[in-house]
Amino acid sequence: MENAIYHSMMSAKQLLEKQTIISNNLANISTNGFKEKFNYILQDENTNNLFNNHHPIIKEYYNLSPGILHHTQRNLDLFIKDDGWLTVKDINGEEAYTKNGHLKINAARKLTIQDNEVVGHNSNIEIPDNVNLKILSNGIITVIEKKNKKIFTNQIGALKLVSLPWQNLIQKENGLFYLKKDFKSNKYSHIINHNNNIRVQAGFLESSNVNTSKNMIEMISNARQFEMQMKMISTCDQNFEYANQLININN
């Protein structure tokens, strides 16, 4: 009976964790470039390990397939092709990666994505006042100026575009992706360098790749399974009470 309660409690805990992930997926349906997150559980088949702190191993994985492409006709909207990623600095100054190509210029004339500064290739990116920007397919940022009826194009920087090892990625609550740190040293296994082969396309945005129907079905299924585990625990608790009553009667 103790085994049954243990299994039910562990299953309920895992279902709650799944619901949290699914809720986050559904909350980001409208987030540009968002990638679905799931987890799967590696069960320990040795029942002798149930009470020896051997818990199921939960692994996370991400659906990195592209979302639907939308034509925005905005120069600062970018679609990062194939396995390419944009590089940003989070609020802690840590390098992170995103597929969200909705760029904005903040008050300090910096390119940002969701208030995170965009990292440049070999130099910081500063946007001059009152200029028209154009981002080329290789990530080079140019300004277009018209003087004396002539058009001048000058390069002011370039985006840091990277290709990431998907097996070493982890997504944090801010929606950005990071490289997993080495367990022993608590440092990144290596630094990701700019990749000259990555291409972007201006005027387009990639939508979230969350499958709404699939996530809703998973959420309903998990809720029903959670109710079943709660009923199992309640039934075991009642059986304990009946057993205690019988013992008291016999005594």
Side-chain angles (χ1 to χ4, degrees), residues 3-16 221-237:
N3 285 357
I5 293 176
Y6 176 85
H7 280 300
S8 294
M9 289 177 61
M10 291 301 299
S11 296
K13 179 177 180 292
Q14 292 159 13
L15 289 168
L16 287 176
S221 175
N222 288 340
R224 290 175 176 171
Q225 291 181 55
F226 183 82
E227 290 178 2
M228 290 175 59
Q229 299 303 330
M230 292 297 99
K231 288 180 179 178
M232 179 67 73
I233 293 173
S234 177
T235 299
C236 290
D237 186 51

Side-chain angles (χ1 to χ4, degrees), residues 2 15 95 107 113 140 151 172 192 207 222-223 234 239 249:
E2 290 180 350
L15 289 168
E95 192 168 283
I113 297 174
I140 291 177
I151 296 176
K172 295 187 179 180
I192 300 296
S207 65
N222 288 340
S234 177
N239 289 340
I249 290 173

Side-chain angles (χ1 to χ4, degrees), residues 49-197:
N49 291 332
L50 286 176
F51 298 99
N52 293 322
N53 296 323
H54 288 263
H55 300 295
I57 301 172
I58 299 176
K59 296 285 187 178
E60 296 179 348
Y61 68 97
Y62 306 96
N63 174 12
L64 298 180
S65 63
I68 297 173
L69 205 58
H70 297 287
H71 189 197
T72 66
Q73 298 183 336
R74 180 175 176 268
N75 288 344
L76 292 182
D77 283 341
L78 299 178
F79 166 55
I80 305 90
K81 297 183 178 180
D82 303 322
D83 62 344
W85 297 74
L86 284 171
T87 309
V88 298
K89 286 183 180 179
D90 64 15
I91 59 174
N92 299 316
E94 200 170 352
E95 192 168 283
Y97 309 97
T98 180
K99 280 283 192 176
N100 185 350
H102 187 57
L103 279 66
K104 294 182 178 180
I105 303 173
N106 65 10
R109 308 304 296 173
K110 300 286 188 180
L111 281 180
T112 62
I113 297 174
Q114 293 179 312
D115 297 326
N116 299 292
E117 183 180 344
V118 176
V119 175
H121 173 42
N122 291 332
S123 63
N124 294 325
I125 303 171
E126 295 186 4
I127 309 300
D129 292 322
N130 303 317
V131 295
N132 292 321
L133 288 184
K134 183 178 181 180
I135 301 178
L136 306 182
S137 62
N138 57 0
I140 291 177
I141 305 169
T142 61
V143 295
I144 302 173
E145 299 179 276
K146 187 176 182 180
K147 295 180 180 179
N148 299 325
K149 297 182 180 180
K150 292 183 179 180
I151 296 176
F152 298 89
T153 302
N154 296 314
Q155 179 178 336
I156 61 170
L159 302 171
K160 181 179 179 181
L161 303 172
V162 299
S163 177
L164 300 177
W166 61 267
Q167 67 275 16
N168 289 329
L169 290 180
I170 184 171
Q171 188 181 38
K172 295 187 179 180
E173 292 181 358
N174 58 11
L176 300 174
F177 281 85
Y178 296 78
L179 290 178
K180 292 180 181 178
K181 292 184 177 180
D182 181 74
F183 179 75
K184 293 181 179 178
S185 65
N186 197 34
K187 294 181 179 180
Y188 296 118
S189 55
H190 59 287
I191 296 174
I192 300 296
N193 296 320
H194 175 81
N195 189 327
N196 291 320
N197 296 320

